[in-house]
Amino acid sequence: MTEKFDIIVVGAGVLGVAAAYHLQKSSPNKSILLVDSQPEAGQANTAMSAAAVRNMFSSTTNQLLTDSSIAFYRHIQEGLGFDLTMHMCGYLWLLSAGQFKAPSVKMWMQRMEKSDIHYQVYEQEELQKLIPGMTTKFSDDDEEAQLMNLNNIDYALFGSECGVLDPDLLVKFYKQEFIKLSKVKPRFSLPVTSLLLEAKPSLGLPGEPYVWQDKRVTGVRTPKGDIHAETVVLAVGPWTNSLLDPVGISSFVKAKKRQLFIIPASNHPPLEQLLFTKGFSKAGFLPFTILPSAGVYVRAVPEEKSFWIGCADKVGRAYKYVMEEQDYKAERSYFEESMYPVLSKYFPAFQNVRPVNSFAGSYCYSFDALPFVYEQAGVIVATGASGSGIMKADAIARMADALYRGEKETELYGGQKMPTTALTISDRQVEVERVII
Amino acid sequence: MTEKFDIIVVGAGVLGVAAAYHLQKSSPNKSILLVDSQPEAGQANTAMSAAAVRNMFSSTTNQLLTDSSIAFYRHIQEGLGFDLTMHMCGYLWLLSAGQFKAPSVKMWMQRMEKSDIHYQVYEQEELQKLIPGMTTKFSDDDEEAQLMNLNNIDYALFGSECGVLDPDLLVKFYKQEFIKLSKVKPRFSLPVTSLLLEAKPSLGLPGEPYVWQDKRVTGVRTPKGDIHAETVVLAVGPWTNSLLDPVGISSFVKAKKRQLFIIPASNHPPLEQLLFTKGFSKAGFLPFTILPSAGVYVRAVPEEKSFWIGCADKVGRAYKYVMEEQDYKAERSYFEESMYPVLSKYFPAFQNVRPVNSFAGSYCYSFDALPFVYEQAGVIVATGASGSGIMKADAIARMADALYRGEKETELYGGQKMPTTALTISDRQVEVERVII
């Protein structure tokens, strides 16, 4: 006596709830069970994000995925009146002259122009006027700056169609809309420990499935028993490997720890001034700002009157096959030794100010920093969002739904179309992403 | 007091010894240390291979890598007089009419024609004459065949520029030639436990390298102490992840167990007759033969008067992040339940005959079944050969050498050229391989 549904969506992070919603909307008569190991939706890595959204990618595919998803999120907030605390504060990429002129940045700019992604170039003088407290040029005898390989800020690329939002609210939207349509109540605090792989048809012999049998994932194993489904949708980010590898379904993703440190701006007038930097957008606060060195970035959180400081550390930060408990703890020494020195050189207002809080989560990287969305043996896999899952969740979910319905093309929000196989392993049609933070 | 070399090549499997040889040949004045955890070269997965070589791939890149490598191996044996017990017995892909007409097989054939890879099509009648003991058509009331999804054999693709060799001899060749050129004696039974990642320049502070420092792999850690090098070449197949992940260098490969079962043909006249099947090639024995169902293949070993039986199991066979001890033990039940039923249906001569021996090793898969050859932070990585490392080792080694020397193009044996970045992660230029066994 096991339960059976048409679809089980494993993972109620932003990708999972968005997929559940689009699947149920397209197939109203299908029974869809959404399960997650956490007590509520969006509580794992979705909650640990810097929660910024940008369409400023170098890969045309990533541009399309994000641009259409961001447009849908604006529609949720402005059209449907569901507040996501989404602000179009923009993204500000600070660059040295050398970086600005690098072929990879030129290509990035050209590809954005081709895709009609709006951005604007600022030069040093103008930047200095807009952000008076920012160090744009280190003096020639600044030994610290030299030691830390700090680039001057000669240019910036500013993308106005980028911003920030609250991923918890976005998850709430999708979950609420899914629940309105679905006949099946989502189940939380229910971990999926493995996928059930069965011979089709089964002969009921020990040792099945044999190599000569057709095989299909027929459901999931949980501590409360097996649950069967025609199709399993897997949206579990950095846990993808541990569910797919045992059944021999390809998944080539790696986890990487990402941490954010919260610095309050209240009671620090220079920081408050920086936080509410005007002149870039109507949002009236500092854009999501990426420093030209060391991968350090600054996210203003006006509701909290605080900054979140993050860092895209590359070589030197371990990749993980499975996340361990320590990967969900931010390291104070990392802030002190690696991020603070850089941050306080570019923004002296941060000098001697320390984080009051921190959090850590995990990215789920693919080799080319584009998501994987593919079907194999009854499993639709959506993974490898590579740190930009929130900003492309809607598009990824629509692709998963199109895969489920066997549609050759996926219509994204706004009407643009993509081949539904574009993000598969076997028919991948993408440009490798080069603008990764 | 640590030792220092120009290059350390980690891994003395076929990729490692070939890389050491080509690097030393191109850079005679560089000191190159070859290290391996095993007591001799080629004793890990290289020794566990079916040891067949083919240029019959669907990806143009794989065609080029294998075709040029096979040509070099022929040159070793025929030109340099170093016996590899290489026989051009050919590859015989048995196909049903449905398989033969599938778009993926048509594309395979077209791409081989375009690349001047010679193959010939056999039809059922001709095949039946050449291999009288083979079942090409199952009767309509053969319930076993139906149950096992066994395809009839309607066609075959035969590639004459394919064959078999002894990988141990190939490893010996490269190792011997490397030793002739090298000033440094290879070290065996010396496992590399981790890569050394250091800040450049180092400040000698605790917690280095920090995020704002330039970082580079400066050597390897072994139980006998650290060994430094300007460049580390990593050719460790399924152990790639465990060395690269901790230092945060990208590696997106997975291991998968592969096993071979040895069945003697002596004292079994029908098997001996099958073994010495004439008519396909001058080699005078059965080509490397892939059955049209379940991924089972048959490799004749005329020197031993035996067959090696293998199977390319896909879904259902676990991917592994790291290989475990049990992954190096062949499973008798796997032969009995999965391979034997298929094998004995197509070749009744195998009925009631059982393996006298078996061995197991590991493939190292990339997502697209093409190798990765790239440089990051002082490490040149050659990995992900996806089960065809022996047949493309020479080309991969030449690419690693070209990467080391900063050459934009790699000249393969025979003079054909490839962009040296073609197999990198960031500038990958390949067609996904579809013909995987």
Side-chain angles (χ1 to χ4, degrees), chain A residues 34 40 67 98 144 152 155 158 240 254 271 282 297 318 333 335 353 360 364 371 388 418 422:
Chain A
L34 175 66
E40 239 314 333
D67 201 46
E144 280 181 348
N152 285 336
Y155 294 93
F158 176 74
T240 308
K254 289 272 170 77
L271 279 184
K282 288 183 194 158
Y297 54 81
S333 65
F335 180 83
V353 185
C364 174
S388 44
M418 276 180 72

Side-chain angles (χ1 to χ4, degrees), chain A residues 148-149 211-212 215 241 245 247-248 250-252 254 315-319 321 337-338 367 425-427 434, chain B residues 148-149 211-212 215 241 245 247-248 250-252 254 315-319 321 337-338 367 425-427 434:
Chain A
M148 294 198 282
N149 304 301
V211 79
W212 39 268
K215 292 168 242 355
N241 290 327
D245 278 354
V247 292
S250 302
S251 87
F252 290 89
K254 289 272 170 77
V315 170
R317 170 65 59 186
Y319 282 105
Y321 176 70
E337 296 164 356
S338 279
F367 85 100
I425 293 183
S426 55
D427 294 281
R434 291 169 195 282
Chain B
M148 293 199 284
N149 304 301
V211 79
W212 39 268
K215 292 167 244 351
N241 290 327
D245 278 354
V247 292
S250 301
S251 86
F252 289 89
K254 288 271 169 78
V315 171
R317 171 65 59 186
Y319 282 105
Y321 177 70
E337 296 164 356
S338 279
F367 85 100
I425 292 183
S426 55
D427 294 280
R434 290 168 196 282

Side-chain angles (χ1 to χ4, degrees), chain B residues 60-77:
Chain B
T60 309
T61 309
N62 267 342
Q63 290 166 357
L64 195 51
L65 296 171
T66 51
D67 201 46
S68 66
S69 297
I70 293 170
F72 185 66
Y73 305 156
R74 294 186 74 161
H75 167 68
I76 293 172
Q77 179 161 299

Side-chain angles (χ1 to χ4, degrees), chain A residues 387-421:
Chain A
S388 44
I390 292 170
M391 53 188 106
K392 42 185 86 136
D394 191 71
I396 291 173
R398 287 174 201 257
M399 291 194 86
D401 174 45
L403 262 186
Y404 176 72
R405 290 182 293 114
E407 297 286 334
K408 285 199 167 177
E409 284 193 320
T410 301
E411 188 173 329
L412 304 176
Y413 182 74
Q416 275 206 271
K417 286 177 182 174
M418 276 180 72
T420 301
T421 56

